[in-house]
């Protein structure tokens, strides 16, 4: 399955808890996942490390139960690599 061409994912209030597989969406520029059950953003960190998300990318994970690791480690990593991240601090 080739996920690199995926540019946009909108998954608002879909009960999404895991982001497994998004590390392979290297063309992703817009990810909207408001109102889900996401706590871990490791797949997005891996995506950046693989050359995916960048300064042209927007990630919206507001209204999710993000873990302290996600807010204290993953989000700063993403923003330091130019990704715009919307979340509830």
């Amino acid at each position: 399955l080739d996920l690199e061409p995926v540019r946009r994912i909108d998954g608002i209030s879909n009960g999404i808890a895991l982001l497994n597989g998004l590390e392979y969406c290297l063309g992703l520029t817009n990810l909207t996942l408001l109102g889900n059950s996401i706590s871990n953003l490791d797949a997005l960190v891996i995506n950046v490390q693989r050359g995916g998300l960048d300064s042209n990318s927007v990630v919206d994970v507001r209204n999710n139960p993000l873990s302290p690791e996600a807010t204290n480690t993953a989000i700063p990593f993403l923003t330091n690599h130019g990704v715009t991240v919307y979340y509830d601090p």
Side-chain angles (χ1 to χ4, degrees):
L1 183 63
D2 183 11
L3 297 176
E4 192 166 335
V6 176
R7 302 272 181 252
R8 178 183 187 99
I9 296 175
D10 294 314
I12 300 170
S13 298
N14 284 336
I16 298 167
L18 301 174
L19 300 181
N20 299 13
L22 292 184
E23 63 269 28
Y24 301 108
C25 297
L26 300 182
L28 194 59
T29 58
N30 192 305
L31 179 63
T32 305
L33 297 170
L34 293 122
N36 285 288
S37 300
I38 299 162
S39 62
N40 184 306
L41 300 177
D42 289 350
L44 302 183
V45 169
I46 294 168
N47 180 290
V48 168
Q49 292 170 334
R50 291 182 172 177
L53 294 165
D54 60 20
S55 61
N56 296 313
S57 305
V58 176
V59 172
D60 193 338
V61 288
R62 288 176 288 175
N63 219 9
N64 280 282
L66 297 174
S67 70
E69 180 183 340
T71 57
N72 297 329
T73 304
I75 290 175
F77 177 87
L78 295 171
T79 58
N80 287 339
H81 284 82
V83 180
T84 300
V85 181
Y86 297 105
Y87 71 103
D88 302 315

